Amino acid sequence: MEKKQVRDYMTHDVISVEAGETIGDVIRLIRTTRHDGFPVVRRNKVVGYISARDIIGEHPLTTVDQKMSRHPIKATSDLTITEVARRIFRSGIQKLPVVDESNALIGIVSNVDVIRSQIERVTPEKVFNFMSTLHTLYGVNTHLKRGTVPIKDIQPTQSCVYQDELEGRMYELKMHLAEPVIAVSFRDRLILVDGHHRAVAAQRLSLPELDAYVVSIDADIELGLEKTAHSMGIYSLADVKVDDSPEHSLVGPTHPGLIPSEKKLVSEYMTINVFSVPVSGTVKDVIRLIRETTHDGFPVVDEASKVVGFIAARDIVGAAAIDSVASKMEKVLLKIYPDSGMTDVARKMFRFCIQKLPVINHHDQLIGIITNADVIRSQIEKVTPEKVFDYIQTLKTLYGVQPVLSSGMVPVSRLMPTQSKVYMDELDGRSYEITKGLAEPLIVVRRQGKLILIDGHHRAVAANRMRLKELDAYIIDIKLEEELGIEKTARNMHLRTLSDVQVLDESRCAFLA
């Protein structure tokens, strides 16, 4: 079960508006808070949601309940962050009011909170690719185990971390939400490969140890990233610099050859046909575009298609139609290139609380846009080491077996599903990622020749529809004669092949348990 829940990331002190208040009240609230929307309540019960886009051009004396969106999608505090991500992605909304059993407002969770939960995540790709690279570069055998490592023994390999991200990792450590670090252990050395923000945060919190995936090596060698770190005078966590500048390059490993670069790039997720407004335009032009497209903001470009600003609905509420775009826009300082990684996009969006980033070429010309919904799409149904190792531990506990983990290709036609439903909108996303070579591996249990699909049903059904023969997977082999509980449940639901899985074509549907 996923441990990251809404209660761990939601904002508790929520600014809301009463249904009987006026549009003028909302305009004043937008200007004073810089938020772009608010839950609407009546006696603290959520009855709607109103955004800047809803009130563009409306009379200030119009009441909120006349223009609000009714029946908003909501969340409960025990909902998982992954389920929130799916709901935000499917519906295209940016914030979910959090309610209790009586529909009373207790918080709000946003797409920025979802992005915060995804930053600096450990993936099986990182762990297994690192082990494979060690074998290729040094010809050594590696062994993987999960455990804790003493903070004082950690030797870092990265020269700098960033204050804003450090604060996020400290919060997650306090809430027991932090991902494990990746460390290499041999002889008397413990080399930190991935997770420097977590490690520095743990040291600041005076924690004695940190959860880790430990890769043991059966040879006494000096790694290239050790040499690089030592050449920069980095021997302990105390040597790692903390940068508190508001704009900075994003963290990369000291020895990038050992941690392969991220394969999910902006170019794979960005929207190419972008609506933009000229810097010479007026507020009237922006209002027209908002109503025609239902978008809530646009890049502002000059005559040469260079990005000079961004204008959102909240920037023009209460403005006169003849006001110039140049006088109302925010000047754009942050942009992104198509070959940037999606993790870098996530970090920038989180650090600077922005919803959209213009994508530019090397002439600073607008060629696309990337949104936090795109970031969320790139993270949905992501395989984590937690899923793999937690399931292995469950098998050990329930059946007394010793599972063996490997990675490889599995035939799609032989996969036995254990989930009865998938959703068309998410299926489209998985099909796109498979086509682009971006799909995460499945998790499969192999028992007596059967391939039991544990995780990755959208990917598997998408591959089946595309008539693909094989998919990449983490394969857990077990020697067990008795049927697994998950197999029995699937059999009772008449799930034998991927063709038995129902595809729901609903944009706003119940989410997977």
PDB file of all heavy atoms in Angstrom, residues 3-4 7-9 116 163 165-179 197-207 209-210:
ATOM      1  N   LYS A   3       2.403   4.687   0.896  1.00  0.00           N
ATOM      2  CA  LYS A   3       2.414   5.363   2.189  1.00  0.00           C
ATOM      3  C   LYS A   3       2.213   6.870   2.066  1.00  0.00           C
ATOM      4  O   LYS A   3       1.915   7.536   3.058  1.00  0.00           O
ATOM      5  CB  LYS A   3       3.728   5.073   2.912  1.00  0.00           C
ATOM      6  CG  LYS A   3       4.986   5.597   2.221  1.00  0.00           C
ATOM      7  CD  LYS A   3       6.227   5.191   2.989  1.00  0.00           C
ATOM      8  CE  LYS A   3       7.504   5.689   2.323  1.00  0.00           C
ATOM      9  NZ  LYS A   3       8.700   5.274   3.069  1.00  0.00           N
ATOM     10  N   LYS A   4       2.365   7.425   0.871  1.00  0.00           N
ATOM     11  CA  LYS A   4       2.203   8.869   0.710  1.00  0.00           C
ATOM     12  C   LYS A   4       0.732   9.196   0.498  1.00  0.00           C
ATOM     13  O   LYS A   4       0.139   8.833  -0.525  1.00  0.00           O
ATOM     14  CB  LYS A   4       3.041   9.365  -0.470  1.00  0.00           C
ATOM     15  CG  LYS A   4       4.545   9.224  -0.223  1.00  0.00           C
ATOM     16  CD  LYS A   4       5.356   9.845  -1.330  1.00  0.00           C
ATOM     17  CE  LYS A   4       6.839   9.775  -1.011  1.00  0.00           C
ATOM     18  NZ  LYS A   4       7.680  10.432  -2.015  1.00  0.00           N
ATOM     19  N   ARG A   7      -3.061  13.618   3.436  1.00  0.00           N
ATOM     20  CA  ARG A   7      -2.853  14.296   4.726  1.00  0.00           C
ATOM     21  C   ARG A   7      -1.404  14.728   4.919  1.00  0.00           C
ATOM     22  O   ARG A   7      -1.125  15.654   5.680  1.00  0.00           O
ATOM     23  CB  ARG A   7      -3.282  13.391   5.880  1.00  0.00           C
ATOM     24  CG  ARG A   7      -2.488  12.111   6.025  1.00  0.00           C
ATOM     25  CD  ARG A   7      -2.797  11.426   7.370  1.00  0.00           C
ATOM     26  NE  ARG A   7      -4.204  11.161   7.525  1.00  0.00           N
ATOM     27  CZ  ARG A   7      -4.813  10.027   7.163  1.00  0.00           C
ATOM     28  NH1 ARG A   7      -4.103   9.045   6.608  1.00  0.00           N
ATOM     29  NH2 ARG A   7      -6.097   9.853   7.347  1.00  0.00           N
ATOM     30  N   ASP A   8      -0.477  14.050   4.249  1.00  0.00           N
ATOM     31  CA  ASP A   8       0.944  14.369   4.410  1.00  0.00           C
ATOM     32  C   ASP A   8       1.387  15.560   3.566  1.00  0.00           C
ATOM     33  O   ASP A   8       2.446  16.129   3.808  1.00  0.00           O
ATOM     34  CB  ASP A   8       1.803  13.151   4.047  1.00  0.00           C
ATOM     35  CG  ASP A   8       1.491  11.947   4.908  1.00  0.00           C
ATOM     36  OD1 ASP A   8       1.492  12.108   6.145  1.00  0.00           O
ATOM     37  OD2 ASP A   8       1.227  10.865   4.365  1.00  0.00           O
ATOM     38  N   TYR A   9       0.588  15.937   2.577  1.00  0.00           N
ATOM     39  CA  TYR A   9       1.006  16.978   1.646  1.00  0.00           C
ATOM     40  C   TYR A   9       0.019  18.132   1.525  1.00  0.00           C
ATOM     41  O   TYR A   9       0.356  19.184   0.989  1.00  0.00           O
ATOM     42  CB  TYR A   9       1.239  16.374   0.247  1.00  0.00           C
ATOM     43  CG  TYR A   9       2.469  15.507   0.196  1.00  0.00           C
ATOM     44  CD1 TYR A   9       2.400  14.146   0.469  1.00  0.00           C
ATOM     45  CD2 TYR A   9       3.715  16.055  -0.081  1.00  0.00           C
ATOM     46  CE1 TYR A   9       3.531  13.351   0.445  1.00  0.00           C
ATOM     47  CE2 TYR A   9       4.852  15.273  -0.103  1.00  0.00           C
ATOM     48  CZ  TYR A   9       4.751  13.912   0.163  1.00  0.00           C
ATOM     49  OH  TYR A   9       5.874  13.142   0.154  1.00  0.00           O
ATOM     50  N   ARG A 116       5.670  17.746  -5.743  1.00  0.00           N
ATOM     51  CA  ARG A 116       6.600  17.689  -4.597  1.00  0.00           C
ATOM     52  C   ARG A 116       6.802  16.258  -4.126  1.00  0.00           C
ATOM     53  O   ARG A 116       7.909  15.871  -3.739  1.00  0.00           O
ATOM     54  CB  ARG A 116       6.052  18.545  -3.444  1.00  0.00           C
ATOM     55  CG  ARG A 116       6.889  18.483  -2.178  1.00  0.00           C
ATOM     56  CD  ARG A 116       6.591  19.656  -1.273  1.00  0.00           C
ATOM     57  NE  ARG A 116       5.243  19.636  -0.742  1.00  0.00           N
ATOM     58  CZ  ARG A 116       4.912  19.165   0.471  1.00  0.00           C
ATOM     59  NH1 ARG A 116       5.852  18.656   1.245  1.00  0.00           N
ATOM     60  NH2 ARG A 116       3.688  19.202   0.902  1.00  0.00           N
ATOM     61  N   GLN A 163      18.762  24.710  -0.933  1.00  0.00           N
ATOM     62  CA  GLN A 163      18.027  24.948   0.302  1.00  0.00           C
ATOM     63  C   GLN A 163      16.534  24.653   0.169  1.00  0.00           C
ATOM     64  O   GLN A 163      15.944  24.031   1.036  1.00  0.00           O
ATOM     65  CB  GLN A 163      18.225  26.401   0.752  1.00  0.00           C
ATOM     66  CG  GLN A 163      17.536  26.745   2.065  1.00  0.00           C
ATOM     67  CD  GLN A 163      18.097  25.965   3.244  1.00  0.00           C
ATOM     68  OE1 GLN A 163      19.310  25.800   3.363  1.00  0.00           O
ATOM     69  NE2 GLN A 163      17.226  25.468   4.112  1.00  0.00           N
ATOM     70  N   GLU A 165      14.908  22.675  -1.882  1.00  0.00           N
ATOM     71  CA  GLU A 165      14.640  21.240  -1.968  1.00  0.00           C
ATOM     72  C   GLU A 165      15.002  20.533  -0.663  1.00  0.00           C
ATOM     73  O   GLU A 165      14.367  19.554  -0.267  1.00  0.00           O
ATOM     74  CB  GLU A 165      15.417  20.648  -3.138  1.00  0.00           C
ATOM     75  CG  GLU A 165      14.939  19.268  -3.528  1.00  0.00           C
ATOM     76  CD  GLU A 165      15.452  18.851  -4.891  1.00  0.00           C
ATOM     77  OE1 GLU A 165      15.558  19.695  -5.792  1.00  0.00           O
ATOM     78  OE2 GLU A 165      15.738  17.661  -5.043  1.00  0.00           O
ATOM     79  N   LEU A 166      16.026  21.047   0.014  1.00  0.00           N
ATOM     80  CA  LEU A 166      16.432  20.477   1.298  1.00  0.00           C
ATOM     81  C   LEU A 166      15.292  20.549   2.311  1.00  0.00           C
ATOM     82  O   LEU A 166      15.063  19.614   3.084  1.00  0.00           O
ATOM     83  CB  LEU A 166      17.652  21.251   1.816  1.00  0.00           C
ATOM     84  CG  LEU A 166      18.571  20.572   2.824  1.00  0.00           C
ATOM     85  CD1 LEU A 166      19.128  19.273   2.268  1.00  0.00           C
ATOM     86  CD2 LEU A 166      19.709  21.514   3.193  1.00  0.00           C
ATOM     87  N   GLU A 167      14.582  21.661   2.299  1.00  0.00           N
ATOM     88  CA  GLU A 167      13.453  21.820   3.225  1.00  0.00           C
ATOM     89  C   GLU A 167      12.365  20.779   2.959  1.00  0.00           C
ATOM     90  O   GLU A 167      11.757  20.232   3.886  1.00  0.00           O
ATOM     91  CB  GLU A 167      12.891  23.235   3.116  1.00  0.00           C
ATOM     92  CG  GLU A 167      13.839  24.285   3.675  1.00  0.00           C
ATOM     93  CD  GLU A 167      13.452  25.703   3.301  1.00  0.00           C
ATOM     94  OE1 GLU A 167      12.402  25.859   2.625  1.00  0.00           O
ATOM     95  OE2 GLU A 167      14.181  26.637   3.670  1.00  0.00           O
ATOM     96  N   GLY A 168      12.140  20.477   1.674  1.00  0.00           N
ATOM     97  CA  GLY A 168      11.166  19.445   1.328  1.00  0.00           C
ATOM     98  C   GLY A 168      11.586  18.075   1.804  1.00  0.00           C
ATOM     99  O   GLY A 168      10.783  17.286   2.329  1.00  0.00           O
ATOM    100  N   ARG A 169      12.892  17.767   1.694  1.00  0.00           N
ATOM    101  CA  ARG A 169      13.380  16.450   2.143  1.00  0.00           C
ATOM    102  C   ARG A 169      13.331  16.342   3.673  1.00  0.00           C
ATOM    103  O   ARG A 169      13.077  15.272   4.222  1.00  0.00           O
ATOM    104  CB  ARG A 169      14.809  16.230   1.661  1.00  0.00           C
ATOM    105  CG  ARG A 169      15.029  16.279   0.158  1.00  0.00           C
ATOM    106  CD  ARG A 169      14.394  15.115  -0.596  1.00  0.00           C
ATOM    107  NE  ARG A 169      12.987  15.301  -0.823  1.00  0.00           N
ATOM    108  CZ  ARG A 169      12.455  16.128  -1.719  1.00  0.00           C
ATOM    109  NH1 ARG A 169      13.231  16.893  -2.455  1.00  0.00           N
ATOM    110  NH2 ARG A 169      11.156  16.218  -1.881  1.00  0.00           N
ATOM    111  N   MET A 170      13.581  17.464   4.370  1.00  0.00           N
ATOM    112  CA  MET A 170      13.508  17.441   5.838  1.00  0.00           C
ATOM    113  C   MET A 170      12.079  17.154   6.287  1.00  0.00           C
ATOM    114  O   MET A 170      11.849  16.363   7.209  1.00  0.00           O
ATOM    115  CB  MET A 170      14.008  18.764   6.412  1.00  0.00           C
ATOM    116  CG  MET A 170      15.506  18.968   6.240  1.00  0.00           C
ATOM    117  SD  MET A 170      16.107  20.621   6.711  1.00  0.00           S
ATOM    118  CE  MET A 170      15.983  20.502   8.496  1.00  0.00           C
ATOM    119  N   TYR A 171      11.138  17.784   5.606  1.00  0.00           N
ATOM    120  CA  TYR A 171       9.725  17.532   5.927  1.00  0.00           C
ATOM    121  C   TYR A 171       9.384  16.059   5.722  1.00  0.00           C
ATOM    122  O   TYR A 171       8.739  15.421   6.562  1.00  0.00           O
ATOM    123  CB  TYR A 171       8.830  18.411   5.049  1.00  0.00           C
ATOM    124  CG  TYR A 171       7.358  18.073   5.162  1.00  0.00           C
ATOM    125  CD1 TYR A 171       6.590  18.571   6.208  1.00  0.00           C
ATOM    126  CD2 TYR A 171       6.748  17.232   4.225  1.00  0.00           C
ATOM    127  CE1 TYR A 171       5.242  18.254   6.316  1.00  0.00           C
ATOM    128  CE2 TYR A 171       5.403  16.911   4.332  1.00  0.00           C
ATOM    129  CZ  TYR A 171       4.658  17.423   5.375  1.00  0.00           C
ATOM    130  OH  TYR A 171       3.332  17.089   5.482  1.00  0.00           O
ATOM    131  N   GLU A 172       9.816  15.498   4.603  1.00  0.00           N
ATOM    132  CA  GLU A 172       9.497  14.097   4.317  1.00  0.00           C
ATOM    133  C   GLU A 172      10.164  13.147   5.303  1.00  0.00           C
ATOM    134  O   GLU A 172       9.573  12.125   5.676  1.00  0.00           O
ATOM    135  CB  GLU A 172       9.894  13.764   2.878  1.00  0.00           C
ATOM    136  CG  GLU A 172       9.020  14.483   1.861  1.00  0.00           C
ATOM    137  CD  GLU A 172       9.359  14.160   0.424  1.00  0.00           C
ATOM    138  OE1 GLU A 172      10.395  13.528   0.165  1.00  0.00           O
ATOM    139  OE2 GLU A 172       8.572  14.548  -0.450  1.00  0.00           O
ATOM    140  N   LEU A 173      11.375  13.460   5.724  1.00  0.00           N
ATOM    141  CA  LEU A 173      12.034  12.623   6.736  1.00  0.00           C
ATOM    142  C   LEU A 173      11.268  12.653   8.058  1.00  0.00           C
ATOM    143  O   LEU A 173      11.087  11.623   8.712  1.00  0.00           O
ATOM    144  CB  LEU A 173      13.473  13.091   6.944  1.00  0.00           C
ATOM    145  CG  LEU A 173      14.473  12.698   5.851  1.00  0.00           C
ATOM    146  CD1 LEU A 173      15.765  13.494   5.994  1.00  0.00           C
ATOM    147  CD2 LEU A 173      14.780  11.199   5.912  1.00  0.00           C
ATOM    148  N   LYS A 174      10.806  13.836   8.450  1.00  0.00           N
ATOM    149  CA  LYS A 174      10.041  13.953   9.690  1.00  0.00           C
ATOM    150  C   LYS A 174       8.740  13.156   9.614  1.00  0.00           C
ATOM    151  O   LYS A 174       8.295  12.584  10.612  1.00  0.00           O
ATOM    152  CB  LYS A 174       9.721  15.426   9.973  1.00  0.00           C
ATOM    153  CG  LYS A 174      10.919  16.267  10.382  1.00  0.00           C
ATOM    154  CD  LYS A 174      10.505  17.732  10.553  1.00  0.00           C
ATOM    155  CE  LYS A 174      11.681  18.619  10.886  1.00  0.00           C
ATOM    156  NZ  LYS A 174      11.277  20.049  10.988  1.00  0.00           N
ATOM    157  N   MET A 175       8.140  13.122   8.415  1.00  0.00           N
ATOM    158  CA  MET A 175       6.862  12.437   8.231  1.00  0.00           C
ATOM    159  C   MET A 175       7.041  10.976   7.804  1.00  0.00           C
ATOM    160  O   MET A 175       6.073  10.287   7.496  1.00  0.00           O
ATOM    161  CB  MET A 175       6.028  13.174   7.183  1.00  0.00           C
ATOM    162  CG  MET A 175       5.747  14.636   7.514  1.00  0.00           C
ATOM    163  SD  MET A 175       4.789  14.864   9.019  1.00  0.00           S
ATOM    164  CE  MET A 175       3.216  14.208   8.518  1.00  0.00           C
ATOM    165  N   HIS A 176       8.314  10.510   7.772  1.00  0.00           N
ATOM    166  CA  HIS A 176       8.632   9.125   7.371  1.00  0.00           C
ATOM    167  C   HIS A 176       8.173   8.833   5.943  1.00  0.00           C
ATOM    168  O   HIS A 176       7.676   7.743   5.644  1.00  0.00           O
ATOM    169  CB  HIS A 176       8.001   8.126   8.344  1.00  0.00           C
ATOM    170  CG  HIS A 176       8.357   8.375   9.771  1.00  0.00           C
ATOM    171  ND1 HIS A 176       9.628   8.141  10.273  1.00  0.00           N
ATOM    172  CD2 HIS A 176       7.623   8.858  10.803  1.00  0.00           C
ATOM    173  CE1 HIS A 176       9.657   8.472  11.557  1.00  0.00           C
ATOM    174  NE2 HIS A 176       8.456   8.911  11.897  1.00  0.00           N
ATOM    175  N   LEU A 177       8.352   9.803   5.055  1.00  0.00           N
ATOM    176  CA  LEU A 177       7.935   9.669   3.671  1.00  0.00           C
ATOM    177  C   LEU A 177       9.109   9.607   2.701  1.00  0.00           C
ATOM    178  O   LEU A 177       8.904   9.440   1.504  1.00  0.00           O
ATOM    179  CB  LEU A 177       7.045  10.852   3.273  1.00  0.00           C
ATOM    180  CG  LEU A 177       5.744  11.024   4.048  1.00  0.00           C
ATOM    181  CD1 LEU A 177       5.109  12.368   3.714  1.00  0.00           C
ATOM    182  CD2 LEU A 177       4.783   9.905   3.742  1.00  0.00           C
ATOM    183  N   ALA A 178      10.323   9.754   3.200  1.00  0.00           N
ATOM    184  CA  ALA A 178      11.484   9.879   2.315  1.00  0.00           C
ATOM    185  C   ALA A 178      11.797   8.559   1.616  1.00  0.00           C
ATOM    186  O   ALA A 178      11.673   7.478   2.197  1.00  0.00           O
ATOM    187  CB  ALA A 178      12.703  10.344   3.102  1.00  0.00           C
ATOM    188  N   GLU A 179      12.204   8.666   0.353  1.00  0.00           N
ATOM    189  CA  GLU A 179      12.658   7.504  -0.406  1.00  0.00           C
ATOM    190  C   GLU A 179      14.023   7.057   0.118  1.00  0.00           C
ATOM    191  O   GLU A 179      14.793   7.868   0.647  1.00  0.00           O
ATOM    192  CB  GLU A 179      12.793   7.884  -1.885  1.00  0.00           C
ATOM    193  CG  GLU A 179      11.517   8.354  -2.535  1.00  0.00           C
ATOM    194  CD  GLU A 179      10.595   7.210  -2.880  1.00  0.00           C
ATOM    195  OE1 GLU A 179      11.094   6.092  -3.124  1.00  0.00           O
ATOM    196  OE2 GLU A 179       9.379   7.433  -2.898  1.00  0.00           O
ATOM    197  N   HIS A 197      20.248  15.196  -1.184  1.00  0.00           N
ATOM    198  CA  HIS A 197      19.379  16.095  -0.414  1.00  0.00           C
ATOM    199  C   HIS A 197      18.839  15.376   0.823  1.00  0.00           C
ATOM    200  O   HIS A 197      18.768  15.953   1.908  1.00  0.00           O
ATOM    201  CB  HIS A 197      18.231  16.613  -1.275  1.00  0.00           C
ATOM    202  CG  HIS A 197      18.633  17.700  -2.214  1.00  0.00           C
ATOM    203  ND1 HIS A 197      19.100  17.448  -3.480  1.00  0.00           N
ATOM    204  CD2 HIS A 197      18.649  19.051  -2.054  1.00  0.00           C
ATOM    205  CE1 HIS A 197      19.390  18.597  -4.070  1.00  0.00           C
ATOM    206  NE2 HIS A 197      19.129  19.585  -3.237  1.00  0.00           N
ATOM    207  N   ARG A 198      18.451  14.117   0.657  1.00  0.00           N
ATOM    208  CA  ARG A 198      17.954  13.359   1.809  1.00  0.00           C
ATOM    209  C   ARG A 198      19.034  13.176   2.871  1.00  0.00           C
ATOM    210  O   ARG A 198      18.776  13.285   4.070  1.00  0.00           O
ATOM    211  CB  ARG A 198      17.455  11.980   1.344  1.00  0.00           C
ATOM    212  CG  ARG A 198      16.060  11.988   0.769  1.00  0.00           C
ATOM    213  CD  ARG A 198      15.813  10.754  -0.096  1.00  0.00           C
ATOM    214  NE  ARG A 198      16.296  10.967  -1.449  1.00  0.00           N
ATOM    215  CZ  ARG A 198      16.452  10.032  -2.359  1.00  0.00           C
ATOM    216  NH1 ARG A 198      16.172   8.778  -2.053  1.00  0.00           N
ATOM    217  NH2 ARG A 198      16.880  10.302  -3.573  1.00  0.00           N
ATOM    218  N   ALA A 199      20.250  12.879   2.414  1.00  0.00           N
ATOM    219  CA  ALA A 199      21.343  12.640   3.362  1.00  0.00           C
ATOM    220  C   ALA A 199      21.710  13.904   4.135  1.00  0.00           C
ATOM    221  O   ALA A 199      21.881  13.874   5.359  1.00  0.00           O
ATOM    222  CB  ALA A 199      22.559  12.094   2.621  1.00  0.00           C
ATOM    223  N   VAL A 200      21.837  15.030   3.437  1.00  0.00           N
ATOM    224  CA  VAL A 200      22.161  16.295   4.111  1.00  0.00           C
ATOM    225  C   VAL A 200      21.023  16.695   5.049  1.00  0.00           C
ATOM    226  O   VAL A 200      21.255  17.180   6.167  1.00  0.00           O
ATOM    227  CB  VAL A 200      22.460  17.405   3.084  1.00  0.00           C
ATOM    228  CG1 VAL A 200      22.662  18.745   3.780  1.00  0.00           C
ATOM    229  CG2 VAL A 200      23.703  17.056   2.257  1.00  0.00           C
ATOM    230  N   ALA A 201      19.780  16.482   4.602  1.00  0.00           N
ATOM    231  CA  ALA A 201      18.621  16.793   5.444  1.00  0.00           C
ATOM    232  C   ALA A 201      18.642  15.943   6.713  1.00  0.00           C
ATOM    233  O   ALA A 201      18.389  16.439   7.818  1.00  0.00           O
ATOM    234  CB  ALA A 201      17.326  16.554   4.673  1.00  0.00           C
ATOM    235  N   ALA A 202      18.975  14.667   6.576  1.00  0.00           N
ATOM    236  CA  ALA A 202      19.039  13.765   7.741  1.00  0.00           C
ATOM    237  C   ALA A 202      20.120  14.211   8.721  1.00  0.00           C
ATOM    238  O   ALA A 202      19.935  14.163   9.942  1.00  0.00           O
ATOM    239  CB  ALA A 202      19.296  12.333   7.276  1.00  0.00           C
ATOM    240  N   GLN A 203      21.259  14.662   8.175  1.00  0.00           N
ATOM    241  CA  GLN A 203      22.333  15.149   9.046  1.00  0.00           C
ATOM    242  C   GLN A 203      21.892  16.395   9.806  1.00  0.00           C
ATOM    243  O   GLN A 203      22.148  16.526  11.009  1.00  0.00           O
ATOM    244  CB  GLN A 203      23.578  15.458   8.213  1.00  0.00           C
ATOM    245  CG  GLN A 203      24.779  15.893   9.055  1.00  0.00           C
ATOM    246  CD  GLN A 203      25.911  16.400   8.199  1.00  0.00           C
ATOM    247  OE1 GLN A 203      25.707  17.233   7.315  1.00  0.00           O
ATOM    248  NE2 GLN A 203      27.106  15.891   8.433  1.00  0.00           N
ATOM    249  N   ARG A 204      21.172  17.296   9.114  1.00  0.00           N
ATOM    250  CA  ARG A 204      20.690  18.517   9.775  1.00  0.00           C
ATOM    251  C   ARG A 204      19.680  18.208  10.878  1.00  0.00           C
ATOM    252  O   ARG A 204      19.553  18.945  11.842  1.00  0.00           O
ATOM    253  CB  ARG A 204      20.058  19.447   8.744  1.00  0.00           C
ATOM    254  CG  ARG A 204      21.079  20.124   7.847  1.00  0.00           C
ATOM    255  CD  ARG A 204      20.432  21.262   7.068  1.00  0.00           C
ATOM    256  NE  ARG A 204      21.441  22.145   6.492  1.00  0.00           N
ATOM    257  CZ  ARG A 204      21.195  23.365   6.051  1.00  0.00           C
ATOM    258  NH1 ARG A 204      19.976  23.856   6.125  1.00  0.00           N
ATOM    259  NH2 ARG A 204      22.159  24.115   5.544  1.00  0.00           N
ATOM    260  N   LEU A 205      18.955  17.108  10.698  1.00  0.00           N
ATOM    261  CA  LEU A 205      17.959  16.704  11.692  1.00  0.00           C
ATOM    262  C   LEU A 205      18.571  15.847  12.799  1.00  0.00           C
ATOM    263  O   LEU A 205      17.853  15.357  13.679  1.00  0.00           O
ATOM    264  CB  LEU A 205      16.829  15.923  11.013  1.00  0.00           C
ATOM    265  CG  LEU A 205      15.929  16.731  10.060  1.00  0.00           C
ATOM    266  CD1 LEU A 205      15.027  15.802   9.258  1.00  0.00           C
ATOM    267  CD2 LEU A 205      15.093  17.733  10.848  1.00  0.00           C
ATOM    268  N   SER A 206      19.905  15.647  12.715  1.00  0.00           N
ATOM    269  CA  SER A 206      20.639  14.823  13.699  1.00  0.00           C
ATOM    270  C   SER A 206      20.125  13.385  13.749  1.00  0.00           C
ATOM    271  O   SER A 206      20.105  12.744  14.809  1.00  0.00           O
ATOM    272  CB  SER A 206      20.561  15.457  15.095  1.00  0.00           C
ATOM    273  OG  SER A 206      21.113  16.752  15.097  1.00  0.00           O
ATOM    274  N   LEU A 207      19.715  12.865  12.599  1.00  0.00           N
ATOM    275  CA  LEU A 207      19.288  11.469  12.541  1.00  0.00           C
ATOM    276  C   LEU A 207      20.524  10.565  12.517  1.00  0.00           C
ATOM    277  O   LEU A 207      21.510  10.884  11.851  1.00  0.00           O
ATOM    278  CB  LEU A 207      18.445  11.213  11.296  1.00  0.00           C
ATOM    279  CG  LEU A 207      17.139  12.009  11.178  1.00  0.00           C
ATOM    280  CD1 LEU A 207      16.411  11.626   9.893  1.00  0.00           C
ATOM    281  CD2 LEU A 207      16.250  11.768  12.384  1.00  0.00           C
ATOM    282  N   GLU A 209      20.739   7.391  11.303  1.00  0.00           N
ATOM    283  CA  GLU A 209      20.837   6.503  10.145  1.00  0.00           C
ATOM    284  C   GLU A 209      19.758   6.838   9.129  1.00  0.00           C
ATOM    285  O   GLU A 209      18.830   7.607   9.401  1.00  0.00           O
ATOM    286  CB  GLU A 209      20.736   5.031  10.571  1.00  0.00           C
ATOM    287  CG  GLU A 209      19.498   4.706  11.368  1.00  0.00           C
ATOM    288  CD  GLU A 209      19.544   3.315  11.975  1.00  0.00           C
ATOM    289  OE1 GLU A 209      20.641   2.719  12.008  1.00  0.00           O
ATOM    290  OE2 GLU A 209      18.484   2.828  12.399  1.00  0.00           O
ATOM    291  N   LEU A 210      19.890   6.240   7.944  1.00  0.00           N
ATOM    292  CA  LEU A 210      19.017   6.558   6.830  1.00  0.00           C
ATOM    293  C   LEU A 210      18.705   5.272   6.075  1.00  0.00           C
ATOM    294  O   LEU A 210      19.565   4.403   5.895  1.00  0.00           O
ATOM    295  CB  LEU A 210      19.720   7.548   5.898  1.00  0.00           C
ATOM    296  CG  LEU A 210      18.899   8.370   4.905  1.00  0.00           C
ATOM    297  CD1 LEU A 210      17.823   9.180   5.621  1.00  0.00           C
ATOM    298  CD2 LEU A 210      19.816   9.303   4.130  1.00  0.00           C
TER     299      LEU A 210
END
